[in-house]
Amino acid sequence: ACLDAGMDSFLGNPVRPDMLRAALAAYEQTHTSNSDPPLLDMQALDELRAYSMEQDMVPMLIGIFFEEAPVKVDQLRQAFSARDAEQVRQLAHSLKSSAATLGATRLSALFALLEQQARDNNLADLDRLPASFEDVLEQSMEALNKILM
């Protein structure tokens, strides 16, 4: 019943110290990280500029991302509502790749997580992600916009 209600795990009674230590260790491994990826990887943007032979393509690619990302995020919201895991996976994959190309590493990592959960048909956990990726999307777009200035 606990797992069906959305809990990650639980300890049954009576709680033994060795079980508690094992549960806490498992929680720490899955719920903590050394740090979040950086919002933007400037080295990725520099490499993208280096590959642009005749002109700096970064502003053009950022512009395309600014046009397409909001449309895809709207489609993603619709796919969430429809509980369409395959559509969520496809959109998350596309957004992950676009974000990675522009060095938006934190955003790309969130979309990678979303893609994996949709691939695993883990729809219960999908409900928690939209707010976080929309916040990171906004932060990433603001950071990318500063590059254009």
Side-chain angles (χ1 to χ4, degrees), residues 43-94:
Q43 183 178 347
L45 287 168
D46 290 341
E47 289 173 6
L48 191 57
R49 282 188 182 101
Y51 292 126
S52 304
M53 297 290 191
E54 296 179 24
Q55 63 180 13
D56 183 2
M57 300 201 40
V58 171
M60 180 188 69
L61 292 173
I62 290 173
I64 292 170
F65 182 74
F66 282 7
E67 289 175 17
E68 292 181 357
V71 173
K72 288 183 180 179
V73 167
D74 284 341
Q75 293 170 342
L76 196 52
R77 279 192 207 102
Q78 292 170 11
F80 275 122
S81 296
R83 309 305 283 168
D84 185 345
E86 179 57 21
Q87 184 69 13
V88 169
R89 186 200 63 76
Q90 290 175 8
L91 289 163
H93 176 80
S94 176

Side-chain angles (χ1 to χ4, degrees), residues 34-146:
N34 293 337
S35 66
D36 285 331
L39 191 60
L40 287 183
D41 178 0
M42 296 307 292
Q43 183 178 347
L45 287 168
D46 290 341
E47 289 173 6
L48 191 57
R49 282 188 182 101
Y51 292 126
S52 304
M53 297 290 191
E54 296 179 24
Q55 63 180 13
D56 183 2
M57 300 201 40
V58 171
M60 180 188 69
L61 292 173
I62 290 173
I64 292 170
F65 182 74
F66 282 7
E67 289 175 17
E68 292 181 357
V71 173
K72 288 183 180 179
V73 167
D74 284 341
Q75 293 170 342
L76 196 52
R77 279 192 207 102
Q78 292 170 11
F80 275 122
S81 296
R83 309 305 283 168
D84 185 345
E86 179 57 21
Q87 184 69 13
V88 169
R89 186 200 63 76
Q90 290 175 8
L91 289 163
H93 176 80
S94 176
L95 287 160
K96 171 196 74 174
S97 300
S98 297
T101 297
L102 296 174
T105 52
R106 192 176 306 164
L107 185 61
S108 181
L110 272 176
F111 283 125
L113 175 62
L114 185 62
E115 177 186 15
Q116 185 59 50
Q117 288 185 321
R119 180 178 290 119
D120 294 343
N121 205 26
N122 189 355
L123 298 179
D125 287 341
L126 291 179
D127 291 331
R128 292 183 246 165
L129 289 173
S132 57
F133 78 70
E134 288 176 357
D135 290 344
V136 176
L137 174 64
E138 184 178 326
Q139 294 167 4
S140 299
M141 289 178 82
E142 287 174 8
L144 288 167
N145 195 42
K146 290 179 182 174

